[in-house]
Each structure stands twice: as C-alpha cells, then as structure tokens.
Amino acid sequence: MKIHEYQAKELLGSYGAPVPGGVLAETPEEIEKAAKDLIETSGRCVLKAQVHSGGRGKAGGVKVADSLEEAVSAARAMLGMKLVTRQTGPEGKIVRKILVTEAVDVEKEFYVSVTTDSEKAGLMLILSAEGGTEIEETARLHPEKIEQIPVSVTEGVKKYECIQAAKALGLTGQTEEELADLLKKMVRLYMEKDCSLIEINPLVKTRQGHLLCLDAKINFDDNALYRHPDVAALRDPSEEDPKENEAAKYGLNYIRLDGNIGCLVNGAGLAMATMDMIGHYGARPANFLDVGGSASVEKVTAAFEILLSDSHVKAILVNIFGGIMKCDVIAEGIVQAVRVVSLHVPLVVRLEGTRVEEGRRILKDSALPIIQASDMADGVKKAVSAAVGG
Ligand code: GDP
Ligand code: MN
C-alpha cells in the first residue's frame, strides 16, 4: 500500500525525523489560508500536489510561490488538474489535495532510502550525494554514485554503517550526526510498521546547515496491514486502481498490467508462469490474477467482470490446474460465470488435473464460444493469436 507525501512526513515526524511544517488543503480557501500564514512568516511557500506518484516536480506538481496572489493562482491551476508524470502513465492522476508547506533554502539535495533486500534477508540502505529529480538518470548513467549498505533486521543500523553513509553523502560534523539519527529512525519506522520502502528524495542540507526531509514516500507490505490499523487507515482508495479495489473485495489477488491478454489463473506460481509464457509467445499479459485455491462461481464471475471491464483486454486466457478443486467443478463455475457476463472477446480455457475429462466435456456441452486448449503452451498460443485476430 502507498500513502501520500503529507502522511509519510507526519509518520516520519512522529518518529522524530526532521520534516518541514505544512498543512494539507483541499479547497482554494483552505490553500489561501495556509499560504497566507506561511507567506506572512517567511515570504514564500511551496504547493505540492498530493498524488501517489513521484516525478511531480517535473510534471508541474510542485510550485514555489513568492506571494499570496501567486500561491492562489497556482493552487487554482493545480486543484483538479490531471498530473501526468513518468510514473502515472498517460492517464495521469487527478490532483484532489495539496500540501502547502514551508519553502526551504536548499544548499544540497541527497537521496536516502531503506528497502528490503530479500536475497540477503535483510534491509538495504540506498544513498546518493546526487539526490533530487534526476535520481533515475544518475542510477542509470552513474551507478557508482549510488551507495548500497546492507543492514541487519535484528541489530538495526550500526555506527560504522552510519559513518559509511555519511561518507557517501560527503557529510561531516553536525550533519553527519543528524544523518545517523535519521537513519536509525527510518530503520525503526521501517521495522515497526512493516514498510516495504521509505524513500527520502530529496533529503536536503539547508542553508542553515541542517538536514531536512523535503519529500517522503513510504510503501507498506499489504500482508502485514492487519497488524497496523493506524497504517491501514491512511489508505486513499481514490488513488488506487478501481479494478484492483473491486478485486480485493472478492479476495482476488489482482494486479493490473499493460498488455492485452487477460489472465485468470489459480495459484500465484502458475499465474507467474502463465505471464512468462505469454511473454515467450510474443504478447503481454493485461494483468496478474490468482483466483486462489477455492475458485467459487462467485469469485470466477467477479474475475471475468473485472477482466472484461478492461478495454485493453483483447482475449482471456483461463489457466486452471485442478488439484484439490476438481476440474468438473471449475468447468461448471466457468460456464455459469460466462452465462452471466457479456463475453465480447475470445475466451481460451486450459484445464488440467483431477477429473479433467469431465471438465472438458462440460465446457464443450455448454455450447458457449469457449476455445479449449490441450496444454498450457497450446492455451497461450491460442490466446495470443486470438488477441491479434480480435
Ligand atoms: P517529486 O518530483 O514528486 O519527487 O517531488 P519533490 O517533493 O521531490 O519535489 C521536486 C523538487 O522540487 C525537489 O527536488 C526540490 O528541488 C524542489 N523543491 C520542493 N520543495 C522545495 C522547497 O521547499 N525549496 C526548494 N528550494 N526546492 C524545493
Ligand atoms: Mn521527490
């Protein structure tokens, strides 16, 4: 799960990390009031579009205002605008909330993040002295400018790791101590709240000589959310894919992707293998979808409806291995589901496992336009050619 920058800063702030002051506003009046207070005290303020995406700065989602008039006109332009960043895709994201925050005198921008290193079963601190909006380019063109420091999950950040981090950023003295303190707080937050990413980009050194988290992004492990009702309450459904929200209601494990073959599979491993095989035969999956071990009629119907509501889907591939669930029960489920949805794209079904002959007969006898596949490769090939043909 993702949260907004303002929420990430509040959370970091509650752990004692240095974050600039700010107010969340949703109407021009609220923005004006918040901007007025900041401009009266410091002469400037920054308006930041709150959408679940990075790259806002380059897309017009971050504006520094030097007067109240400027702040108000920038706010009016920003509220309701469709922000298209390199992370949102062409459909963009509508700006509904704006963070009105202190304008900071920046001396230098750094990049600092914590994430999970699944290979080493630990954490990874990632740092760069060249933070800011060009970090992706730096990572691509100058990977040597990105420092990676493995951190133990049981022991936390150690002193020598903090020294290594400060060295990577070129920080000494006061700011070296501030960095060590921040890293410890980030790691504690990461562990206590079951995060999957905490990214501060940019972390800045101000002209006054202190570190400040100017931007913050935090992602959480969905599977651990049940332990953190406070974190789950930060969810903003309007920022999430409506199809993914719908799927979650039915307990379907669905992730939207950008190809055109809709997949309905039981088991995450088989779903991954199906996606790989679609790639192997020259096409791309429109989604990952694991209907789980108990593919009930209700679940399969919901899954079809979600796939069919995606205009990118040009063919559907059902790939089911009947283990505990028998193929004839699954086939009945598919037939019942297809009868209630309006199928407007070719449907390929590959069944294998317990009572597969009975299952195939049920599909055939249904007289529905179902293309049956003899095995997985056959199913994928038929779906790929059906998508091209359709
Ligand atoms: P992102 O583009 O979505 O990652 O949004 P950021 O919050 O990182 O803002 C993008 C850039 O705007 C930062 O890298 C800074 O250079 C600049 N910026 C944001 N807030 C301030 C501020 O208070 N003062 C200054 N000088 N620059 C800022
Ligand atoms: Mn940023």
Side-chain angles (χ1 to χ4, degrees):
M1 189 187 91
K2 294 180 180 176
I3 58 172
H4 288 291
E5 173 195 5
Y6 78 92
Q7 297 168 319
K9 282 177 167 170
E10 272 173 23
L11 201 48
L12 279 161
S14 74
Y15 274 74
V19 291
V23 173
L24 182 76
E26 298 186 43
T27 63
E29 295 70 37
E30 284 171 12
I31 294 168
E32 182 168 356
K33 186 175 175 300
K36 192 162 179 274
D37 292 345
L38 284 170
I39 286 171
E40 273 170 8
T41 47
S42 68
R44 291 192 302 156
C45 73
V46 184
L47 303 181
K48 305 186 77 175
Q50 297 299 290
V51 292
H52 286 185
S53 169
R56 295 164 303 165
K58 286 190 166 181
V62 178
K63 286 268 188 305
V64 182
D66 291 310
S67 68
L68 189 57
E69 296 69 50
E70 214 181 304
V72 170
S73 73
R76 286 190 191 278
M78 211 185 268
L79 263 185
M81 87 186 263
K82 190 171 91 174
L83 196 65
V84 178
T85 74
R86 63 186 166 219
Q87 292 180 3
T88 59
E91 64 266 30
K93 282 193 178 285
I94 303 292
V95 179
R96 297 185 178 87
K97 301 182 181 92
I98 291 179
L99 174 63
V100 185
T101 174
E102 284 170 26
V104 174
D105 284 331
V106 175
E107 192 175 295
K108 187 154 170 48
E109 301 193 342
F110 307 99
Y111 175 97
V112 178
S113 68
V114 187
T115 187
T116 298
D117 180 358
S118 44
E119 237 163 71
K120 295 201 179 75
L123 301 183
M124 185 68 90
L125 286 178
I126 303 170
L127 304 107
S128 178
E130 298 193 9
T133 55
E134 303 297 330
I135 191 70
E136 279 92 351
E137 287 69 24
T138 304
R140 195 162 49 84
L141 302 173
H142 297 286
E144 76 283 358
K145 291 184 177 172
I146 311 281
E147 182 89 353
Q148 301 194 356
I149 306 176
V151 168
S152 157
V153 286
T154 48
E155 291 158 47
V157 204
K158 298 192 196 74
K159 190 159 187 202
Y160 68 86
E161 290 160 349
C162 292
I163 293 170
Q164 189 185 345
K167 212 167 168 199
L169 300 189
L171 297 177
T172 53
Q174 169 73 23
T175 50
E176 176 170 4
E177 275 168 40
E178 289 180 11
L179 179 70
D181 184 60
L182 173 64
L183 294 178
K184 283 177 195 145
K185 286 167 176 164
M186 284 171 73
V187 167
R188 194 158 64 79
L189 166 60
Y190 192 97
M191 295 303 297
E192 285 180 3
K193 299 290 180 190
D194 289 305
C195 301
S196 58
L197 174 73
I198 301 179
E199 183 185 75
I200 315 287
N201 185 38
L203 169 71
V204 301
K205 183 180 174 195
T206 63
R207 289 222 188 282
Q208 294 74 30
H210 294 288
L211 295 187
L212 197 59
C213 303
L214 214 57
D215 186 16
K217 172 182 272 193
I218 303 183
N219 297 347
F220 300 90
D221 178 354
D222 288 344
N223 293 316
L225 277 180
Y226 74 97
R227 298 204 287 212
H228 307 292
D230 55 330
V231 172
L234 302 177
R235 169 164 253 144
D236 182 352
S238 69
E239 285 292 317
E240 295 175 354
D241 189 306
K243 292 183 191 17
E244 292 184 8
N245 287 337
E246 185 66 15
K249 275 193 230 156
Y250 289 92
L252 297 164
N253 209 341
Y254 170 90
I255 296 162
R256 195 163 168 216
L257 301 167
D258 57 7
N260 65 5
I261 302 197
C263 305
L264 194 163
V265 188
N266 68 332
L270 189 60
M272 300 289 273
T274 306
M275 290 167 32
D276 283 349
M277 211 179 240
I278 290 171
H280 178 76
Y281 285 108
R284 290 160 68 86
N287 62 281
F288 168 93
L289 172 57
D290 168 16
V291 292
S294 59
S296 66
V297 175
E298 199 201 9
K299 266 192 175 181
V300 174
T301 308
F304 272 119
E305 271 164 359
I306 290 162
L307 297 186
L308 288 165
S309 68
D310 184 344
S311 62
H312 297 107
V313 169
K314 298 291 177 244
I316 293 178
L317 171 61
V318 175
N319 187 11
I320 301 274
F321 184 86
I324 297 166
M325 279 289 287
K326 297 178 188 68
C327 287
D328 53 346
V329 176
I330 292 160
E332 282 294 355
I334 294 170
V335 167
Q336 284 189 43
V338 170
R339 289 216 162 104
V340 298
V341 299
S342 55
L343 196 64
H344 54 261
V345 296
L347 170 63
V348 179
V349 178
R350 178 260 179 166
L351 284 180
E352 196 52 82
T354 314
R355 294 176 70 87
V356 66
E357 291 310 325
E358 290 84 343
R360 287 187 184 151
R361 196 171 320 117
I362 289 165
L363 294 183
K364 188 160 172 281
D365 293 347
S366 72
L368 290 166
I370 294 172
I371 305 165
Q372 293 213 45
S374 54
D375 58 35
M376 191 157 150
D378 181 48
V380 172
K381 278 192 266 186
K382 281 177 171 158
V384 171
S385 71
V388 174

